[in-house]
Amino acid sequence: MARNIWQDNSLNPPELTLAQRILQINWLLLILVSLIALIGLAMLYSAANGSWSPWAVRQAIRFAMALALCIAVAIVDIRFWLRWAYLSYAISMTLLIGVEVMGEIGMGAQRWIDLGLIRLQPSELMKISLVLALARYFHGRTYDEIGQIRFLLMPFLAITAPVILVLRQPDLGTALMLVMGGATIFFLAGVRLWKFGIVGVLSLASVPIAWQFLRDYQKKRVLTFLDPESDPLGAGYHILQSKIALGSGGTWGKGFLQGSQSHLNFLPEKQTDFIFTMLAEELGMIGGLALIGLYMLVIAYGFIITLRCRNRFGRLNACGMTTSLFLYVFINIAMVMGLLPVVGVPLPLISYGGTVMLTVMIGLGFVINAYIHRDLEIPRRTDET
Amino acid sequence: MNRSADHDNHRMVTRRTLLLGGGQLMLFGALASRLYYLQVIEADKYQLLSEDNQFNLELLPPIRGRILDRHGMPLADNQDNFRVEIVSEQTGNVMTTLNKLQSIIDIPEHEIRRVLRDVKRKRSFVPVTVIENLGREEISRVAANTPYLPGIKIEVGRSRRYSFGTEAVHVTGYVAAVSESELTGDPILELPDFRIGKSGIEKTYDLPMRGNAGQRQVEVNALGRIIRKMPGNQGEPGADITLTIDMRLQKFAHNRLERGEGRWLSRDNRQAQEALEKASPSIRNQLQNRPKILINQKGQAVAPESGGVVVMDIHTGAVLSLVSAPGFDPNKFSNGLSANDWEGLLSNPRTPLNNKSIAGQYSPGSTFKMIVCLAAMEAGLATANTRISCTGHVDVGDTRFHCWHRIGHGELDMIGAIEQSCDVYLYEIAKKVGIDRINAMAHRFGLGEISGIDLSGERRGLIPSREWKLATLGTRWQVGETMNTGIGQGFVLATPLQLATMTARLANGGLAINPHIIAAHGVINDIPNMGLNAANLAVIRKSMRAVTMGARGTARKAALKIPDWEMAGKTGTVQVRRISLAERKAGITKNADRRWRDRDHALFVAFAPYDAPRYAIAVVVEHGGSGSSVAAPIARDVIAELHRLNPLGNRDQAGRAGLPTGRKG
C-alpha cells in the first residue's frame, strides 16, 4: 500500500531499496550513542563496586537489543510510521488507562504492566506515540489552519489526556516531559507565539490549584528542592548527599571506582537516577563535561537532521524525539545538581533500566528515519489518495 | 497548494528549530556552569563534607598508669577484661546462638532479655555485649566452641584491678565512670568505657596516669558500618606512680588494726557460729563479707576495729603505710557499683568511705602531752626536774579537774609524769605555759595544719586559741580550757597523719619533715630545723621511752621485745562521752560495758628504735577502749614487722644529710 502513495508523487526521487536505506543510516550518530552507552556500562560496573553483575551485563544486553530496534525503526519506510501514528497513540492510551485501572484495583503507584520478561511502562511508550501522533496531525495541517484555534483543540486534548493519567499515577517527571515534548511540536508546527503566552500564564495561574492535587511526597520534594539544607537527614538528604558527592569530586574526580560517597552508600539510587553524580564524583568536572558534550553532539545531530529534512512529518518527528532526549538529560542532570526538584527522571543510556533505554533508542530510530527519508516529499493527507 | 506559503512556512520552521536548538544549548551551558560551580568553586566545602561523611574519628583510650608500692609491687594495674559480644547479622538466628551460648556458660535470663532488646534496637552489624568480666576458663570454653556459635565474638577490654582491694584503698583510691560534672570537653572522657580517678592517688594523679589518647580514622558508610580502619597514632600510656608505701607493711598494719584484741575464727568453728548468732544485726552485717569471724576475749563476735595507722620515715617524711579501716573494695567501683553495695557502704556505722588516717579528727588525748611539756621547757618555765605532786585532782575556782588516777600519783618529775601519763602534772604545766605557747608549739609540730600529702580530703584538725574561740564561739578563753588542752582533750583535734608527723619531728631532733606518699617527691636536701633545744627534745624522747620501758610506764605491757630495738611511745585514751552520774552509780565505767560509739578512742604514738630513731607510728583505734591495752600492742606489732621487713634497707640512718627519697626498694 506504501507503493500507492509513492506513485502519486512524481516529483519524488526514485524509491530507496532496503540496502540503500541501510547505507543512509547515520552511523556516526550511532557511534556517539554507543559511546555514551559504554560510559554508562562503565559507571554501572563501578556502581556495583567493580562488578559486571548485577547491572552492567544486563544493561549491555538491553543496549544491544535497543540498538537493533533503533536500526529497525530507522529503516522502515517513513510513510508506514505516518500511517500508524494514530494507532500507536491509541494503543499507548489504552495501556495507560489499563495501568490506571489496575492501579485503582489495588497496587498503589503502579506505572507498568508486567509482561513477564519486560515491564512495559505505557507512559514511556506514550512519549514516542505522542510525538508521532502530533507530527502526523500537524503534517496534515496547513499554516493557515494551524493559525485557527479549532484546529488546535484536538492536539491539545491529545496532550492533556495522557498528562492527566500520568499525573494520577503519579509521575511528575513524565508528565512534565509529555507537556514539554508536546509544546515543542506545537512550537515547531508554527502555532502562534501569543498562544503559548496565554497557555503559559494560565498554567502559572493554575499552579496553586495543581498544588492541591499533588501527593504529600511530591509536595515535600518540591519544598525540599527549594531548601535542601532545611532537613539534611530527612527529605533533603538525597540532594544534599548528591551535591557533596559532586562537589567533592572536584575538577579531576576521585578516580574510577574511588567515589567514596557513592561506594559508601551515602548516595541514593546511584545506579539509576543519581548515576551522573557518581560519574562526576569519580571522573570530576572533566568527566561530567565530557558526557554533557557527548549528549550535546547527539542532540545537535538531531537538530541538523531536523533542518535537513524536507518533509514535515520527519522534521517534527526528528525534532520531537531529539527534544525528548534533551529533556531527559537536562531534567536528570539539573535534578542531581539541585537545580530542579527530584522528580525521578533517569539519565538516558547511562542509568540502569530497560524502558528508558528503549524509548530513547526508538526515538533515535525515528531521528535517523527522518534522515534517511530527508528528501522524500509526503502529501498532506495520505488517507485522501 | 501555495508554494510561497509553504516556503514561508519552511523558513518559519527553520527559524524556530534554530531557536529551540539555541535554547537547549543555553540550558546545557547552564548545566555546565552549575557543574563548574559545584566542582570547582565550592569543591573545598564539599570535600570537607565528604570526608566528614566518610571518616569518623575513633579515640583509642590510653592504658592507665599503674600505682606501685616502693618495691614496685602493683597496687593498681590493668587487667584484661574478656567480654562476649553478639553480632546479629552474623548469626543465623540470635535466639539459637544465645541458647547454645547458655549451654556453655551461665548467663542469667534477664541478661538474655536485655541482649534481645538491644539486638532489636541496634543495627544488625553493631555488636551487643552479652556478658562481661568472664574468667579465663569460661572464655576458653567459649573460644573452643566459636565454630558452633556464629556471630559470637570475644573482645578484650581493660579494667582497673586493685590487687590489695580494701587494704590499700585509702591510698590508691578508686576509679569509676565519668560523671556529668567531670566532663571538661575532652572527648576521651566521653568514651563509654573510660574511668576517672575519684579518690586517693587515682584522683590526685589522674592526669599523669591517664596518658594521651590515640586517634584513628575509621571509614564508615552511610549506615555507620565500619568499612576500613586507618592506621593512627597509638597514643601514650599513662605514667606509673610509685609510692613510698610498703605494701607488705600496709597489709600487715591493716589486718593488725582490724583484729584489735580479738582473734579470727573460721566460720566452721562452733564457737564462732554461736557467737555470730548472738551478735547484733549491725555486727553480723559488718562481718558478712569476711571469710572468718572476729571473736573478742569474751568470746563474743565483734566487728573488726576501725581507725587509722600511719607509719613514717622520720628523716624524710616518706609514709610507709597509711591505713584506714574499714576499707572497701575499689574493684567494685570500676566495674560499676550495685545500689546494694553502695547502700551498705553508706549505712555502715564505721564509715568505710572516710579515710581516717587523713580525714579522721580525734582528740589526741595524752599523746599531746609531749607538746605541752616541750612548750614549757622551751619557754623556760619547766625542766625535766620540775616536780609536781598529784593528789588525784586539781581545783580551779569551783571546778575540780580529775587525774585519770583517782587516788593520785604522788610527786612526779616530768619524765615520770609522761611515763604514767599524769593529768594533774599537765594541768599545772599547761596553766603555767598558757594556751598561746601551747598553740604555737602544736603548730610547729604540724598539728592544726594541712600537711599537703598527695591525697585529697585531708583535714586540718584543730588547735584552739583565744582568737579561735572568740571567733567561733563568741566567748573568752578560760583557764580551765587551757588545762583541758594540756591533756589533749577539749577542743584539740588531730588526724593520725598529724600525730605521726608530730612524733617523727620529736624523734628526728626537731627537723620539720613533711609527710609524702609519692616516691618521686624529689630530693629533700634542706629539711628546715625547727630550732628546738636538743636537750629538751632528749627529755621528751626519754620520757617516751619510759612509757614502754619504765617500771610504771602506761604501755610497759606493750614493750617491744627486740634486743637493741626499743620502742618509745605515748598512750592516749580519749573520752568520747562523759560518764554520767547514773552510769557511775550503776558501775558502768568500763569501756566494754558501754555501747561501741560511747567507748573511748584508743591512741598510741611511737618511734623506734629508741637509740637511732627511724620510724614513727601513730595508731588510732576508734572507740577501741584504752590506748595502752588496745592501741599500743598494735603499734608494737607493726614496729616488730618493720624491724623484720626493714623497708628502708640498711642505709645509714643519716637521713638528715639529704638522702633522695625517690628510690625504689
Side-chain angles (χ1 to χ4, degrees):
Chain A
M1 63 190 160
R3 189 153 294 275
N4 260 343
I5 306 161
W6 189 240
Q7 283 169 345
D8 287 344
N9 287 277
S10 46
L11 285 171
N12 272 322
E15 177 85 357
L16 292 170
T17 63
L18 184 65
Q20 282 171 318
R21 273 182 265 163
I22 291 173
L23 277 177
Q24 288 285 321
I25 288 176
N26 210 309
W27 293 106
L28 187 57
L29 185 59
L30 287 182
I31 286 169
L32 282 175
V33 166
S34 303
L35 209 57
I36 293 176
L38 275 179
I39 292 174
L41 292 182
M43 287 339 283
L44 289 175
Y45 174 80
S46 172
N49 289 323
S51 164
W52 293 111
S53 68
W55 299 311
V57 171
R58 297 179 65 181
Q59 186 81 346
I61 295 167
R62 278 179 189 149
F63 179 70
M65 285 162 59
L67 191 64
L69 203 58
C70 170
I71 294 170
V73 166
I75 58 178
V76 170
D77 193 299
I78 192 164
R79 286 155 299 191
F80 175 82
W81 296 122
L82 182 71
R83 179 171 285 263
W84 294 99
Y86 287 158
L87 185 64
S88 129
Y89 180 84
I91 291 170
S92 296
M93 200 62 196
T94 311
L95 289 174
L96 212 50
I97 293 167
V99 174
E100 178 68 19
V101 171
M102 274 164 61
E104 289 289 321
I105 289 168
M107 280 178 239
Q110 192 170 7
R111 297 172 184 180
W112 36 262
I113 295 170
D114 205 340
L115 297 179
L117 262 176
I118 25 164
R119 285 173 170 176
L120 190 66
Q121 211 165 315
S123 59
E124 288 294 323
L125 274 185
M126 182 51 90
K127 284 175 189 163
I128 304 280
S129 302
L130 185 65
V131 171
L132 280 178
L134 289 176
R136 167 163 180 183
Y137 181 82
F138 286 114
H139 179 79
R141 298 280 89 79
T142 63
Y143 184 70
D144 291 336
E145 282 170 337
I146 291 167
Q148 293 168 7
I149 285 181
R150 68 189 168 98
F151 284 105
L152 296 182
L153 217 59
M154 274 307 288
F156 186 75
L157 281 177
I159 297 174
T160 30
V163 164
I164 286 169
L165 285 173
V166 168
L167 270 181
R168 280 177 61 93
Q169 281 183 356
D171 186 349
L172 204 58
T174 303
L176 197 70
M177 287 183 60
L178 286 174
V179 170
M180 310 259 291
T184 306
I185 308 279
F186 269 55
F187 179 73
L188 277 185
V191 174
R192 309 303 185 264
L193 287 175
W194 60 268
K195 288 180 182 131
F196 284 97
I198 288 175
V199 173
V201 169
L202 283 178
S203 331
L204 272 181
S206 70
V207 162
I209 301 159
W211 183 256
Q212 309 291 322
F213 287 95
L214 290 182
R215 302 284 169 96
D216 277 346
Y217 84 92
Q218 289 174 319
K219 288 182 186 174
K220 207 168 170 185
R221 276 181 180 178
V222 175
L223 291 175
T224 305
F225 158 70
L226 294 174
D227 185 13
E229 272 87 357
S230 65
D231 183 14
L233 286 178
Y237 180 78
H238 289 183
I239 195 64
L240 189 65
Q241 292 299 339
S242 174
K243 280 161 81 177
I244 291 174
L246 280 165
S248 63
T251 311
W252 299 100
K254 296 176 182 171
F256 187 58
L257 298 175
Q258 303 297 313
S260 63
Q261 284 282 109
S262 317
H263 291 293
L264 299 175
N265 288 331
F266 286 100
L267 197 63
E269 313 253 339
K270 58 174 182 285
Q271 78 280 17
T272 57
D273 290 1
F274 284 87
I275 198 160
F276 181 78
T277 306
M278 192 182 78
L279 179 137
E281 185 190 13
E282 298 194 345
L283 307 177
M285 187 184 69
I286 300 302
L289 288 181
L291 184 67
I292 292 176
L294 280 174
Y295 279 121
M296 273 171 77
L297 283 179
V298 170
I299 286 162
Y301 246 112
F303 276 94
I304 290 167
I305 289 169
T306 304
L307 292 172
R308 275 287 281 109
C309 186
R310 287 177 60 196
N311 60 74
R312 179 181 271 195
F313 179 68
R315 202 187 294 146
L316 290 177
N317 251 354
C319 194
M321 301 300 178
T322 305
T323 301
S324 184
L325 174 67
F326 165 79
L327 286 173
Y328 271 119
V329 174
F330 179 76
I331 293 177
N332 177 274
I333 296 181
M335 170 179 101
V336 301
M337 291 198 298
L339 289 172
L340 282 178
V342 178
V343 287
V345 170
L347 188 61
L349 302 168
I350 304 274
S351 287
Y352 179 75
T355 341
V356 175
M357 168 90 72
L358 224 55
T359 311
V360 169
M361 291 303 284
I362 290 173
L364 271 172
F366 281 109
V367 174
I368 298 170
N369 182 265
Y371 179 76
I372 292 171
H373 301 92
R374 60 189 178 278
D375 292 325
L376 184 72
E377 287 203 18
I378 312 170
R380 279 217 173 83
R381 308 221 198 289
T382 53
D383 44 1
E384 283 167 12
T385 54
Chain B
M1 257 181 234
N2 189 336
R3 285 270 159 210
S4 89
D6 263 1
H7 186 67
D8 285 349
N9 193 2
H10 190 83
R11 277 178 57 190
M12 182 272 296
V13 170
T14 305
R15 207 167 53 235
R16 288 194 172 188
T17 305
L18 288 174
L19 216 61
L20 202 63
Q24 293 184 6
L25 192 70
M26 271 169 58
L27 285 174
F28 266 142
L31 291 186
S33 52
R34 173 70 171 179
L35 203 59
Y36 176 78
Y37 173 75
L38 285 176
Q39 297 203 285
V40 176
I41 296 178
E42 294 220 295
D44 291 345
K45 170 183 156 191
Y46 289 117
Q47 181 76 45
L48 279 178
L49 286 172
S50 162
E51 278 167 14
D52 272 3
N53 266 345
Q54 191 180 357
F55 297 106
N56 283 350
L57 201 60
E58 191 182 67
L59 275 179
L60 307 167
I63 300 170
R64 194 174 174 85
R66 299 174 301 164
I67 301 176
L68 309 171
D69 87 339
R70 66 187 303 121
H71 307 295
M73 169 111 65
L75 308 189
D77 59 3
N78 306 294
Q79 186 184 23
D80 286 344
N81 172 12
F82 293 98
R83 61 178 188 272
V84 172
E85 289 180 346
I86 188 164
V87 182
S88 63
E89 69 172 8
Q90 292 166 9
T91 64
N93 177 326
V94 174
M95 203 54 227
T96 317
T97 307
L98 285 175
N99 283 338
K100 271 190 214 153
L101 189 65
Q102 253 181 322
S103 66
I104 297 164
I105 52 171
D106 186 41
I107 308 169
E109 207 49 52
H110 68 267
E111 288 292 305
I112 295 287
R113 281 197 298 275
R114 176 192 56 80
V115 171
L116 287 175
R117 206 172 52 236
D118 286 0
V119 161
K120 243 178 245 159
R121 254 205 318 255
K122 293 182 176 169
R123 292 201 164 109
S124 62
F125 55 84
V126 177
V128 170
T129 301
V130 180
I131 191 161
E132 280 185 295
N133 302 320
L134 281 183
R136 284 199 178 265
E137 197 215 333
E138 286 167 306
I139 277 298
S140 51
R141 257 186 295 165
V142 175
N145 283 290
T146 35
Y148 315 106
L149 294 166
I152 291 288
K153 289 198 305 179
I154 298 170
E155 286 288 326
V156 188
R158 280 209 177 74
S159 61
R160 200 68 164 160
R161 180 179 56 181
Y162 301 94
S163 315
F164 296 96
T166 55
E167 290 156 358
V169 67
H170 287 295
V171 174
T172 58
Y174 63 91
V175 292
V178 184
S179 68
E180 200 124 323
S181 60
E182 287 163 326
L183 292 174
T184 57
D186 186 346
I188 193 175
L189 295 178
E190 284 157 43
L191 288 173
D193 292 335
F194 198 76
R195 296 287 181 269
I196 193 171
K198 297 278 186 176
S199 76
I201 293 295
E202 293 279 25
K203 184 178 182 183
T204 318
Y205 288 89
D206 188 57
L207 279 178
M209 277 199 283
R210 221 186 257 177
N212 291 320
Q215 286 186 348
R216 172 165 70 182
Q217 286 203 315
V218 178
E219 189 174 2
V220 293
N221 73 358
L223 299 172
R225 182 198 292 270
I226 292 172
I227 304 295
R228 194 155 50 119
K229 291 187 171 183
M230 311 298 236
N233 70 351
Q234 284 296 306
E236 282 170 54
D240 286 349
I241 300 292
T242 302
L243 304 180
T244 56
I245 296 289
D246 183 312
M247 192 56 218
R248 299 168 300 174
L249 183 74
Q250 169 90 5
K251 189 177 166 73
F252 177 87
H254 183 271
N255 295 334
R256 181 63 189 86
L257 170 65
E258 285 204 321
R259 181 164 68 80
E261 290 183 285
R263 63 206 158 102
W264 291 99
L265 286 185
S266 151
R267 280 185 179 267
D268 302 331
N269 188 300
R270 266 196 60 200
Q271 191 197 347
Q273 284 165 357
E274 280 168 18
L276 194 62
E277 265 169 49
K278 279 186 230 157
S280 71
S282 166
I283 287 171
R284 276 212 293 271
N285 257 337
Q286 291 177 57
L287 286 170
Q288 162 179 284
N289 293 324
R290 308 285 180 146
K292 290 182 171 182
I293 304 295
L294 188 62
I295 303 293
N296 69 5
Q297 285 153 333
K298 289 184 180 171
Q300 298 162 321
V302 287
E305 296 289 0
S306 59
V309 176
V310 177
V311 179
M312 198 181 286
D313 177 346
I314 63 160
H315 299 301
T316 61
V319 174
L320 298 171
S321 85
L322 188 108
V323 169
S324 174
F328 57 93
D329 186 358
N331 295 301
K332 286 186 175 170
F333 278 82
S334 63
N335 295 335
L337 194 69
S338 74
N340 216 5
D341 286 339
W342 179 242
E343 203 52 49
L345 288 177
L346 290 183
S347 65
N348 190 331
R350 302 195 178 215
T351 60
L353 292 172
N354 183 21
N355 187 347
K356 296 177 178 65
S357 283
I358 60 167
Q361 303 182 105
Y362 309 93
S363 291
S366 303
T367 59
F368 192 62
K369 286 175 178 168
M370 286 84 83
I371 298 296
V372 179
C373 286
L374 191 63
M377 287 191 288
E378 288 287 316
L381 299 170
T383 65
N385 300 319
T386 302
R387 301 181 79 83
I388 291 168
S389 179
C390 169
T391 56
H393 59 86
V394 178
D395 291 322
V396 175
D398 298 337
T399 321
R400 170 160 292 191
F401 290 82
H402 287 282
C403 184
W404 68 269
H405 197 54
R406 292 279 141 193
I407 57 168
H409 288 102
E411 201 181 77
L412 293 167
D413 63 3
M414 192 178 280
I415 290 172
I418 292 202
E419 176 186 3
Q420 300 186 43
S421 201
C422 176
D423 291 336
V424 167
Y425 190 96
L426 266 293
Y427 291 144
E428 297 293 351
I429 293 285
K431 216 161 44 170
K432 245 194 254 183
V433 180
I435 184 65
D436 299 337
R437 291 198 187 91
I438 295 174
N439 179 290
M441 189 57 72
H443 275 287
R444 289 171 82 177
F445 278 84
L447 300 168
E449 307 264 3
I450 292 283
S451 78
I453 195 166
D454 295 311
L455 294 171
S456 62
E458 189 186 5
R459 303 285 295 267
R460 189 178 291 277
L462 177 67
I463 301 299
S465 66
R466 294 175 202 280
E467 299 76 38
W468 169 82
K469 196 188 170 199
L470 203 61
T472 49
L473 300 174
T475 52
R476 289 167 56 90
W477 187 262
Q478 307 289 321
V479 74
E481 287 161 347
T482 307
M483 293 164 69
N484 254 336
T485 305
I487 61 162
Q489 302 260 11
F491 301 117
V492 197
L493 291 174
T495 65
L497 181 69
Q498 287 173 331
L499 293 176
T501 307
M502 173 193 85
T503 311
R505 290 181 182 186
L506 286 170
N508 68 14
L511 295 172
I513 53 96
N514 271 312
H516 62 264
I517 199 163
I518 298 297
H521 198 71
V523 178
I524 300 166
N525 281 322
D526 231 0
I527 298 169
N529 194 310
M530 295 156 69
L532 296 168
N533 186 325
N536 292 341
L537 282 170
V539 170
I540 297 295
R541 285 202 295 271
K542 196 170 169 193
S543 68
M544 286 172 78
R545 177 177 180 273
V547 171
T548 54
M549 306 308 288
R552 289 164 181 248
T554 51
R556 63 184 180 278
K557 287 178 186 155
L560 193 58
K561 304 265 178 346
I562 299 175
D564 301 327
W565 236 74
E566 291 173 350
M567 170 177 83
K570 181 69 195 86
T571 54
T573 304
V574 183
Q575 246 180 49
V576 173
R577 183 175 155 267
R578 276 182 185 282
I579 298 165
S580 70
L581 207 60
E583 285 169 329
R584 209 178 282 278
K585 278 180 183 161
I588 308 175
T589 53
K590 278 194 166 177
N591 267 306
D593 299 332
R594 281 179 269 153
R595 286 183 302 175
W596 174 73
R597 66 166 180 270
D598 294 339
R599 289 177 205 158
D600 298 341
H601 288 320
L603 282 77
F604 193 73
V605 298
F607 64 89
Y610 173 76
D611 295 330
R614 298 183 74 171
Y615 306 108
I617 181 170
V619 177
V620 175
V621 186
E622 286 185 327
H623 309 290
S626 124
S628 55
S629 63
V630 178
I634 294 174
R636 176 202 57 206
D637 291 349
V638 173
I639 285 180
E641 186 71 5
L642 268 170
H643 180 259
R644 193 178 74 78
L645 295 172
N646 193 16
L648 298 182
N650 288 324
R651 70 175 161 85
D652 180 21
Q653 53 95 12
R656 65 200 77 184
L659 275 173
T661 55
R663 78 227 160 257
K664 283 190 195 171

